[in-house]
Amino acid sequence: MTREDIIKKVESLEGTMDFQKATALHIYDLLTDPARKHHRVLLADEVGLGKTIVARAVVSLMREYQREVMHDDFFRVVYVCSNINIASQNIDKLGVEDKLDINVSRLSMQHFAIAKKDKSLNQRTPEVGSIPEVIIPLTPTTSFDFRSRSGTVAERSLICALLENLDEFNNEQSRRFLSGLLQGNVYDTTWTNWLNWFRSETLRVGQNYIDEIVIGIRRYGSKEIHRLIELYQGAEQSSGREPLDLTSALRRVFAEISLDKLKPDLVIMDEFQRFKNLLAGDGEQQLLADRFFSDHNTKVLLLSATPYKPYSTLEELTENEKDEHFSDFKQVVGFLEGGDQSLKKNFDESWMSYNIALSHISRDSFDVLAVSKKGAEDALYALMSRTERFNVGGVKTVRPILPVTAEDIKSYFQARTLLDMVNEVAAHAGIRSVPMDYVKSSPYLLSFMDNYKMKEYIVNRRDKVKSQVWDLLYLPSKRISNYKEIPLSNARLQYLYDSLFTGGFSAERLLWVPASRPYYVTHGVYSRNAGFSKTLLFSSWQMVPRMVSCLISYSAERLVMKDLLKQGRRPGSYYRSDDGKSQNRYGANRFSRIKDEDNPLLYLSPFLAGLYNPATSLGQDIKDIRKAIEIVVKEKVAEITGRLGIPLRGRTAVTDLTILMRLIEGETPEILPERFGEDSVENLVSIAIGAPASCAYRIKKDKAFARSVADFFVKMFNRPDPALVVDATCAKGADNYIEAILEYCVEGNLQAVLDEYDHLLEGKWEDILAQGPLEVNNLRVEMQRPDQKIEVRPMRNHLAIPFTTIRMEDKAVTHTSALRRAFNSPFRPFVLCTTSVGQEGLDFHWYARKLMHWNLPSNPVDMEQREGRVNRYKCLSIRQRLGELYSNLPSWDEIFDAARMEFKRGDSDIVPYWSLPDDFPDDKEKLVERIILEYPLSQDQGRYERMKKVLSLYRLTMGQPRQEELLEMLANSGLSDDQIKRLMINLSPYYREKEAPCLIGEQ
């Protein structure tokens, strides 16, 4: 391919911004440079700037390179990431059509997947101008680490089916031995089904494949085969762990066989800092990784905003003065150099010169320093690229000083007293004190501290201590059953509660986030909650997500129940309805007596949907819009009822409303009612403006799509929690549930909400509609009864949910993907509580601009990674600010186009999609919020100030040993702010091109 072809290809990439295109071109140049021994590049763009999108562009360029230059007939991409959540989110974004399921893509199984793919390729003709391709997701812990791990049932059954082809195991008795050894804890039927499936599938792939595998087994697994034969023949007894150890060893053998066949063209390692031991380490795991990276034809792209530890204090230096930061930096650079002595020499000399110049920094030596900095920058640029936002003005810090309440103190006192009492009866004091941060992080510790040693220690001995009421260590079962208020007893939890339910916000009444740019003016709960945001909450402790999700969801439900009681309703207890017998919750299955064909929420009337056009009524009061539509509807209804001789009298039955809609559409129902209600026109107007089917039809003009969206909402409103909200919020009440839903949808500006969501989805609704509304999750929680006995009761999570799993099981993958999609939708949940699991590589920014640090992380890297979850492309903060400024424009495409024209001002496309300029004309109330929850006199206050300083100087000190000394020298150097700014390392292809002839994007 010519240079012009490459540039043209880059510029044609859809959905890729100018700075991303420039970065992709730079990476392509480094990956295809024939002068390099190894082709390894690091993409270190700041968190949230779309490294996956750049990777997708690189994939597109490398696909063409493999086809046109290397004349390859099969393009293989391997995507390595740290956990299942990142893999399931990003694998679809990389632009490779054919992908392997993350659940069956273990390295030990790739030989089988590749053989199947090769066979299918031989049976079809690829399209002209393309080559077959596949992307293979791997995670290090499941693909490279085999220590004491049994793997999945799919892995073991495939291994068993292939081992049966060895001459040593070709009879029925030896096969039963292999099957028993590898079955593990799987049910007999499940194991048999898997084993039989792989037996038939390996035969279907072909005998040549089986013969190759047998050769591979003998090459890499001679020791394991010998041991299997010994065990089968009964020469020696196996130890208790030997079956597991042998299984682990066999998985490694088959992984080595896979490496012989894998030969990826491009390896993408996402957030690789979590598994750097693959780059440089020792042991069996490293031997496998070395083989993985050793092929000179394999291109490697590392992705990480924080590829090495950003800062070391003098106290953090080890006794032998080993600077962990600098060692980390050198490890990454060494891997990127890949043994290329020319690259290594250039880098070492340039970096040494820079270090020496920095050590003599002063105003007089600045010019020398600037030259050496440029040399070091160029040497680093030959290995990596990094683009950052031009400013950080889109974030505001909220640092409330939390009051220490009597309940905080009492909670600690109870925990301490109980631990002391347990220690008195224990043989020895196993745990001497209650960690203060536990009590600062959670009330009701013993209800939520599952899998904590302290709780296990106390619970195992509690029956030996005298009976007491530990009202702040266990949740009170009876109060929850009766929807009574529970003391929050924790200042952090109280702050979150207040931010959701007081001070202007009433999240308990919302079923979706208010539109960033509402189409019309309303006067109810959604207009009062304008600017509302979901909250992403990070904690260092596993108990916090459980606690917050249960207590915040309970609080929301209790507040709504309280309002229903004021209206004279009897909604029953938290666990049972008020008759004391029925297990059905209040509001559940409201549509159970209505057939789908009779439900007006599921019927689409294109005539009614066409009566409302948002673009022609932007900014109007909803009352005026209703009046205008009412004129047309009234005329239509009068024509129909007059022609049929059906009077308007009383209220409209739900099924009659559907019949009237069918008549409007020209259908002829078999049975007509004796009358239609006097409220028919009012309800039809609501259907025209806010019915889910009408709103969806205006988006795509597709009846099937409109029905699918309507079905989504019917499922949602058929659940108890939305029913409670609608009943408590809308005047029509439970006796007119469908009419109340329509009133709620109109008040909620549903059309604007769905249009905004459609813009973010880019019209791709398939997964959302297939998944349906997120199921309410129940957590089993220990509570204390009035008689002081402990019982386990379920608590519902709906307004807030925990996100803590990284397990590989199918069920866990499905659940975490559903949680992620739900939080990135306008609908509930409104609070997602997580730990380090949600810290890297995951997107939570579509409807959340509030990032709450329940506990500060120990490392500045983690701080940046956390905040990058919400400060991303077209995030809620950007949309809310633009929506307010351009409220006169009818679509989000037009809004972003207008903002780009007005505010880009020669900068990159970071404006307006990631950042807005400091002079953006708004009141700055809708910035991304960094919420630091601090107690008075807490050490967190000083730690946060240090973290801010570290992150602001990260680029300047990149790769420098003894950074604390360097920062002190800079502070005392006498350099001006402009000079210090000129010392910042610039590794951005886009901004470097600003200083030279440009090839990509607008300048």
Side-chain angles (χ1 to χ4, degrees):
M1 291 187 295
T2 66
R3 188 63 176 173
E4 289 74 16
D5 292 335
I6 295 298
I7 294 171
K8 191 177 296 183
K9 177 69 176 177
V10 171
E11 291 179 337
S12 69
L13 296 174
E14 295 184 3
T16 309
M17 299 301 169
D18 52 14
F19 70 94
Q20 294 169 335
K21 292 175 181 179
T23 300
L25 182 61
H26 174 61
I27 291 172
Y28 172 84
D29 288 340
L30 295 180
L31 290 178
T32 58
D33 183 355
R36 298 170 75 109
K37 179 180 179 181
H38 282 285
H39 297 88
R40 302 171 179 178
V41 183
L42 167 61
L43 171 59
D45 283 2
E46 184 186 356
V47 176
L49 287 187
K51 289 182 290 296
T52 306
I53 302 303
V54 176
R56 182 179 67 188
V58 172
V59 166
S60 180
L61 292 175
M62 293 308 303
R63 181 192 292 115
E64 294 300 306
Y65 175 82
Q66 292 299 129
R67 182 174 67 88
E68 294 286 339
V69 179
M70 303 302 292
H71 306 293
D72 202 347
D73 58 358
F74 191 2
F75 182 51
R76 292 191 180 99
V77 180
V78 170
Y79 177 68
V80 186
C81 62
S82 59
N83 67 61
I84 185 66
N85 298 321
I86 296 174
S88 60
Q89 172 188 272
N90 289 344
I91 193 71
D92 290 327
K93 296 180 181 180
L94 290 170
V96 180
E97 181 179 345
D98 215 341
K99 57 184 180 294
L100 294 185
D101 187 344
I102 183 65
N103 299 297
V104 294
S105 65
R106 303 296 179 97
L107 185 57
S108 62
M109 303 177 72
Q110 289 312 306
H111 53 83
F112 173 68
I114 292 169
K116 284 187 69 175
K117 182 63 63 177
D118 286 342
K119 181 169 184 177
S120 68
L121 292 177
N122 292 332
Q123 296 173 348
R124 70 184 188 194
T125 303
E127 296 180 11
V128 177
S130 68
I131 58 174
E133 60 183 7
V134 67
I135 186 166
I136 303 163
L138 301 176
T139 61
T141 53
T142 59
S143 292
F144 294 97
D145 188 356
F146 302 100
R147 293 168 297 181
S148 303
R149 294 179 183 272
S150 62
T152 65
V153 61
E155 279 182 281
R156 297 194 305 277
S157 51
L158 175 59
I159 289 170
C160 188
L162 289 169
L163 287 174
E164 290 176 350
N165 292 281
L166 294 174
D167 293 338
E168 293 89 335
F169 302 104
N170 63 357
N171 60 69
E172 190 62 32
Q173 186 175 356
S174 61
R175 290 183 175 185
R176 281 200 300 271
F177 161 75
L178 284 177
S179 178
L181 183 82
L182 291 167
Q183 179 174 347
N185 295 323
V186 180
Y187 289 119
D188 290 343
T189 303
T190 302
W191 172 254
T192 301
N193 290 340
W194 274 104
L195 185 56
N196 287 338
W197 188 84
F198 274 116
R199 283 169 175 165
S200 63
E201 284 299 303
T202 51
L203 286 173
R204 186 173 289 125
V205 173
Q207 191 61 44
N208 288 341
Y209 160 70
I210 293 174
D211 292 343
E212 287 180 6
I213 296 302
V214 169
I215 293 172
I217 294 171
R218 297 198 184 280
R219 179 186 305 140
Y220 297 114
S222 58
K223 182 176 69 173
E224 287 75 17
I225 299 306
H226 179 73
R227 183 57 182 156
L228 283 172
I229 293 171
E230 286 184 339
L231 292 176
Y232 168 60
Q233 294 176 347
E236 292 185 34
Q237 292 292 322
S238 68
S239 64
R241 285 188 55 83
E242 186 156 24
L244 188 61
D245 292 339
L246 257 176
T247 300
S248 175
L250 288 168
R251 290 176 60 222
R252 178 194 53 76
V253 169
F254 280 84
E256 297 225 45
I257 295 171
S258 292
L259 287 174
D260 283 342
K261 298 180 69 66
L262 194 56
K263 293 183 172 59
D265 300 300
L266 177 64
V267 176
I268 300 172
M269 302 182 70
D270 200 353
E271 303 293 354
F272 78 94
Q273 76 277 3
R274 288 297 180 188
F275 44 93
K276 272 195 228 163
N277 52 333
L278 292 187
L279 308 188
D282 51 31
E284 187 177 78
Q285 184 177 2
Q286 183 58 37
L287 291 175
L288 276 177
D290 284 345
R291 285 193 58 207
F292 189 62
F293 295 124
S294 62
D295 191 336
H296 292 191
N297 294 318
T298 298
K299 317 295 191 294
V300 181
L301 175 60
L302 306 181
L303 309 179
S304 176
T306 50
Y308 33 80
K309 188 177 179 182
Y311 189 62
S312 295
T313 65
L314 296 181
E315 289 79 8
E316 289 171 327
L317 297 179
T318 59
E319 289 183 3
N320 61 358
E321 296 193 340
K322 179 183 177 183
D323 189 333
E324 184 182 348
H325 156 85
F326 191 57
S327 173
D328 208 15
F329 172 74
K330 290 293 289 182
Q331 179 187 4
V332 174
V333 169
F335 176 80
L336 294 172
E337 291 169 341
D340 189 319
Q341 293 304 311
S342 175
L343 276 176
K344 177 176 173 53
K345 180 180 179 182
N346 178 52
F347 182 85
D348 288 349
E349 289 178 353
S350 300
W351 214 252
M352 179 63 69
S353 173
Y354 184 36
N355 280 326
I356 292 172
L358 278 173
S359 66
H360 298 91
I361 189 169
S362 70
R363 184 187 296 272
D364 294 336
S365 64
F366 177 78
D367 290 340
V368 174
L369 176 58
V371 171
S372 63
K373 170 258 179 182
K374 183 67 167 61
E377 180 181 278
D378 290 345
L380 200 54
Y381 190 62
L383 302 172
M384 65 178 288
S385 71
R386 178 177 174 87
T387 300
E388 300 191 358
R389 289 175 175 85
F390 72 99
N391 71 0
V392 292
V395 179
K396 68 176 178 180
T397 302
V398 180
R399 298 177 67 183
I401 301 300
L402 305 174
V404 178
T405 65
E407 286 78 12
D408 284 303
I409 298 170
K410 183 180 176 184
S411 180
Y412 176 78
F413 177 76
Q414 286 191 2
R416 177 74 225 200
T417 301
L418 179 56
L419 183 61
D420 289 344
M421 293 171 69
V422 168
N423 280 333
E424 286 179 9
V425 299
H428 57 84
I431 298 177
R432 297 183 179 276
S433 62
V434 179
M436 180 64 71
D437 208 39
Y438 283 9
V439 181
K440 287 162 63 177
S441 296
S442 175
Y444 308 108
L445 286 172
L446 296 183
S447 284
F448 297 107
M449 287 180 64
D450 292 5
N451 302 318
Y452 279 72
K453 290 184 184 272
M454 189 180 104
K455 177 177 178 178
E456 181 183 358
Y457 176 75
I458 291 174
V459 168
N460 288 343
R461 298 163 178 79
R462 191 190 156 180
D463 59 345
K464 297 179 181 179
V465 305
K466 63 182 180 181
S467 181
Q468 279 186 256
V469 176
W470 309 100
D471 60 320
L472 293 181
L473 296 185
Y474 284 103
L475 287 170
S477 174
K478 185 174 181 180
R479 291 191 68 81
I480 289 176
S481 182
N482 293 321
Y483 276 110
K484 298 295 185 182
E485 184 174 2
I486 300 172
L488 297 181
S489 305
N490 181 271
R492 288 172 176 161
L493 183 61
Q494 185 68 55
Y495 181 88
L496 176 61
Y497 177 97
D498 292 341
S499 72
L500 292 167
F501 307 124
T502 64
F505 288 124
S506 46
E508 77 279 7
R509 296 295 190 95
L510 302 178
L511 295 179
W512 50 77
V513 176
S516 299
R517 193 277 311 273
Y519 288 146
Y520 46 75
V521 177
T522 59
H523 308 279
V525 63
Y526 278 89
S527 62
R528 293 194 297 271
N529 282 271
F532 177 80
S533 163
K534 295 189 179 187
T535 300
L536 178 61
L537 185 155
F538 281 98
S539 173
S540 305
W541 306 111
Q542 287 276 355
M543 63 183 159
V544 171
R546 286 171 49 83
M547 178 274 296
V548 168
S549 300
C550 289
L551 295 188
I552 290 297
S553 295
Y554 171 79
S555 296
E557 203 169 317
R558 186 191 67 80
L559 289 170
V560 177
M561 283 292 188
K562 183 179 176 182
D563 289 339
L564 287 174
L565 288 169
K566 287 180 181 178
Q567 298 173 21
R569 314 270 182 86
R570 299 293 301 172
S573 77
Y574 185 73
Y575 300 110
R576 295 172 181 264
S577 59
D578 56 352
D579 61 11
K581 298 178 182 179
S582 172
Q583 294 290 341
N584 291 329
R585 287 176 57 207
Y586 175 92
N589 299 315
R590 285 279 180 85
F591 299 126
S592 59
R593 297 182 181 180
I594 306 174
K595 296 179 181 178
D596 284 353
E597 58 267 27
D598 295 331
N599 191 333
L601 293 178
L602 291 173
Y603 184 81
L604 170 67
S605 168
F607 172 82
L608 292 175
L611 294 180
Y612 170 57
N613 180 0
T616 61
S617 56
L618 290 175
Q620 292 184 17
D621 193 292
I622 185 59
K623 295 177 183 177
D624 297 328
I625 295 174
R626 293 187 70 97
K627 286 178 183 177
I629 296 175
E630 185 177 331
I631 294 171
V632 181
V633 173
K634 185 177 291 186
E635 182 179 326
K636 190 72 172 177
V637 169
E639 184 273 322
I640 291 172
T641 55
R643 173 166 48 84
L644 298 175
I646 300 177
L648 292 175
R649 186 174 63 248
R651 285 177 47 197
T652 300
V654 168
T655 55
D656 293 347
L657 190 58
T658 309
I659 291 172
L660 186 53
M661 293 170 67
R662 294 183 184 278
L663 289 168
I664 288 174
E665 291 303 316
E667 298 181 27
T668 307
E670 294 182 4
I671 301 175
L672 293 174
E674 295 181 358
R675 60 177 176 81
F676 289 116
E678 294 173 314
D679 58 354
S680 296
V681 171
E682 178 185 356
N683 289 323
L684 292 175
V685 170
S686 295
I687 288 171
I689 298 171
S694 299
C695 295
Y697 187 71
R698 284 190 285 266
I699 292 174
K700 288 197 176 184
K701 295 296 187 292
D702 183 307
K703 290 184 178 180
F705 172 70
R707 173 58 188 254
S708 296
V709 173
D711 187 61
F712 177 98
F713 277 88
V714 165
K715 289 176 181 175
M716 182 174 76
F717 285 116
N718 204 30
R719 295 178 178 176
D721 304 296
L724 285 171
V725 171
V726 172
D727 285 353
T729 303
C730 297
K732 293 182 179 293
D735 295 335
N736 302 278
Y737 187 52
I738 286 182
E739 295 164 13
I741 288 173
L742 293 171
E743 177 187 331
Y744 189 90
C745 290
V746 172
E747 160 60 28
N749 248 288
L750 185 59
Q751 184 70 63
V753 170
L754 294 185
D755 284 348
E756 184 176 358
Y757 192 31
D758 180 69
H759 176 79
L760 295 170
L761 289 170
E762 298 178 343
K764 299 172 184 175
W765 286 78
E766 294 78 13
D767 289 344
I768 305 301
L769 297 178
Q771 171 192 307
L774 183 68
E775 294 288 344
V776 173
N777 185 39
N778 289 313
L779 290 178
R780 307 285 293 178
V781 177
E782 290 186 353
M783 303 181 188
Q784 184 167 260
R785 298 185 340 201
D787 62 4
Q788 302 174 25
K789 292 185 178 179
I790 305 301
E791 63 179 355
V792 178
R793 303 299 296 266
M795 291 198 75
R796 295 183 282 277
N797 299 167
H798 42 76
L799 193 123
I801 56 168
F803 185 89
T804 56
T805 184
I806 56 172
R807 291 176 298 163
M808 286 289 294
E809 292 86 349
D810 291 358
K811 194 172 183 181
V813 173
T814 302
H815 180 62
T816 54
S817 295
L819 292 185
R820 221 178 45 247
R821 276 195 289 265
F823 192 71
N824 263 335
S825 80
F827 311 108
R828 292 186 176 189
F830 293 156
V831 180
L832 187 140
C833 322
T834 187
T835 58
S836 59
V837 169
Q839 196 163 279
E840 292 179 344
L842 297 173
D843 301 344
F844 294 118
H845 63 295
W846 279 4
Y847 289 92
R849 59 175 176 79
K850 292 186 177 183
L851 191 286
M852 189 170 289
H853 297 281
W854 205 259
N855 315 96
L856 279 180
S858 58
N859 193 315
V861 168
D862 297 336
M863 190 84 162
E864 182 167 322
Q865 288 285 359
R866 285 182 179 186
E867 295 183 358
R869 300 311 103 218
V870 298
N871 195 5
R872 305 178 76 84
Y873 175 70
K874 290 185 178 180
C875 65
L876 180 64
S877 172
I878 295 287
R879 297 200 316 277
Q880 286 183 340
R881 298 173 72 190
L882 291 180
E884 186 174 12
L885 181 64
Y886 296 107
S887 60
N888 60 321
L889 294 178
S891 74
W892 281 102
D893 285 336
E894 291 174 273
I895 287 174
F896 276 101
D897 287 345
R900 190 171 185 269
M901 290 290 293
E902 184 172 355
F903 295 108
K904 184 177 178 181
R905 300 169 186 168
D907 216 300
S908 73
D909 285 337
I910 288 178
V911 182
Y913 302 100
W914 282 266
S915 293
L916 296 173
D918 292 333
D919 61 350
F920 187 80
D922 67 348
D923 58 8
K924 308 297 186 289
E925 283 299 310
K926 298 181 177 67
L927 299 176
V928 171
E929 292 185 27
R930 172 195 298 133
I931 304 170
I932 312 293
L933 299 181
E934 301 172 333
Y935 280 89
L937 305 178
S938 167
Q939 63 179 355
D940 285 345
Q941 293 173 298
R943 286 176 57 209
Y944 174 67
E945 292 299 332
R946 174 179 170 271
M947 283 188 179
K948 277 202 311 181
K949 180 180 179 182
V950 169
L951 292 174
S952 66
L953 292 166
Y954 180 33
R955 293 182 70 207
L956 178 61
T957 60
M958 186 175 287
Q960 296 302 315
R962 293 184 179 269
Q963 292 182 30
E964 191 173 37
E965 290 178 335
L966 173 61
L967 295 180
E968 185 177 346
M969 281 192 296
L970 285 170
N972 300 317
S973 65
L975 295 180
S976 66
D977 290 344
D978 182 65
Q979 286 177 315
I980 291 178
K981 184 176 180 181
R982 287 174 58 193
L983 291 179
M984 294 289 183
I985 299 287
N986 177 14
L987 300 175
S988 168
Y990 180 90
Y991 290 108
R992 287 171 68 94
E993 287 288 349
K994 298 280 275 187
E995 304 168 5
C998 297
L999 297 172
I1000 301 298
E1002 300 177 15
Q1003 303 301 320

